[in-house]
Amino acid sequence: MNNYQVWLGDGVGRRKLPLTPESVDLARVANDVGKFTITVPLNFNTNLLTRDAWIEVWRRSRRGRVRMEAENAWLLQRWTEIYQGGKRMLKVEGVCFNALADWRIVAYTPGTAQADKTGAADAVAIAVVRENMGDLCTDASRKINPAYFSAPAVQALGMPSITESLSRKSVKDALKAIASNAESQGAKFYWDFSWAGGQKVEFRVYKDQRGK
């Protein structure tokens, strides 16, 4: 797979080691957590592998342009030694950045402004993310370092107004409920945690189509 280049990073995306893949399988899922499986020769120190390490997959096109495959980096979750074609290989598996939303909950009690939401779907989604993992967290220990994460203050996509009670839901389930509510009113709403260049992840919202 000479047209692929894979980089193993640390937990905040600093590159540590290039890997030479024998197979690459990436699956993004709209409004949910995508997964990846990559097999590489077992010819490096596996002590460099850590859970939640970044995995970057770059692909060279026929015209020679190199771009990040699936427009995102990934988070390593597990690795397994296997034999393939008589060779010792390592199967590495993980998830896309949307998993960040699955690892946080709406940690506010019912009846609070942070738990019971009414407003445009995009504005509510952004507020939920900022209040539970971003700059508006009331508990500083839950805030992701702004050097590595950001969410927009406003987006104004013209989405319908929704009302949701979100206390104790995972942030992912809260975002899925917001999208479902918007869809019940005839609007297509998408959200994504995307690579924003360098070592930064950005929360993004879209109307009608992801990436538009």
Side-chain angles (χ1 to χ4, degrees):
M1 305 189 75
N2 294 332
N3 56 331
Y4 280 96
Q5 184 177 36
V6 175
W7 281 94
L8 168 67
D10 63 12
V12 293
R14 291 174 297 218
R15 288 178 174 179
K16 293 163 60 175
L17 184 72
L19 302 175
T20 303
E22 297 244 345
S23 67
V24 175
D25 183 14
L26 310 175
R28 296 296 304 277
V29 183
N31 292 352
D32 214 327
V33 179
K35 298 181 179 180
F36 79 87
T37 302
I38 298 171
T39 56
V40 297
L42 186 49
N43 56 8
F44 62 95
N45 184 356
T46 57
N47 288 332
L48 293 171
L49 299 170
T50 57
R51 187 177 171 88
D52 298 335
W54 283 33
I55 297 288
E56 298 177 32
V57 181
W58 295 81
R59 186 175 186 180
R60 185 182 302 276
S61 71
R62 292 180 180 177
R63 296 184 178 182
R65 181 185 176 189
V66 179
R67 58 175 297 199
M68 182 175 277
E69 190 76 342
E71 301 175 353
N72 221 334
W74 304 77
L75 298 171
L76 178 63
Q77 298 299 292
R78 65 190 65 85
W79 50 96
T80 310
E81 183 178 339
I82 61 173
Y83 280 85
Q84 185 170 291
K87 296 185 296 184
R88 290 178 69 207
M89 306 288 292
L90 199 70
K91 180 170 72 171
V92 295
E93 301 172 273
V95 292
C96 74
F97 284 142
N98 284 358
L100 294 172
D102 210 15
W103 300 339
R104 295 295 179 92
I105 66 167
V106 179
Y108 299 95
T109 57
T112 61
Q114 294 92 344
D116 294 345
K117 295 288 191 185
T118 296
D122 52 320
V124 170
I126 290 169
V128 167
V129 169
R130 293 179 68 194
E131 291 165 358
N132 290 280
M133 52 205 306
D135 60 315
L136 298 182
C137 280
T138 57
D139 179 350
S141 68
R142 303 181 69 233
K143 182 187 301 184
I144 299 176
N145 188 325
Y148 306 121
F149 177 74
S150 66
V154 260
Q155 201 75 8
L157 297 181
M159 298 299 295
S161 179
I162 59 108
T163 296
E164 289 286 344
S165 296
L166 302 171
S167 179
R168 312 316 294 180
K169 291 181 182 289
S170 70
V171 171
K172 184 192 80 170
D173 286 346
L175 293 172
K176 289 171 71 72
I178 292 165
S180 178
N181 194 323
E183 185 172 8
S184 72
Q185 299 184 60
K188 293 289 186 180
F189 173 68
Y190 297 96
W191 54 270
D192 203 8
F193 290 77
S194 298
W195 178 66
Q199 297 164 238
K200 196 159 191 174
V201 179
E202 182 177 65
F203 178 67
R204 298 172 181 169
V205 293
Y206 310 95
K207 181 179 181 180
D208 296 329
Q209 183 178 346
R210 182 192 162 275
K212 299 296 183 181

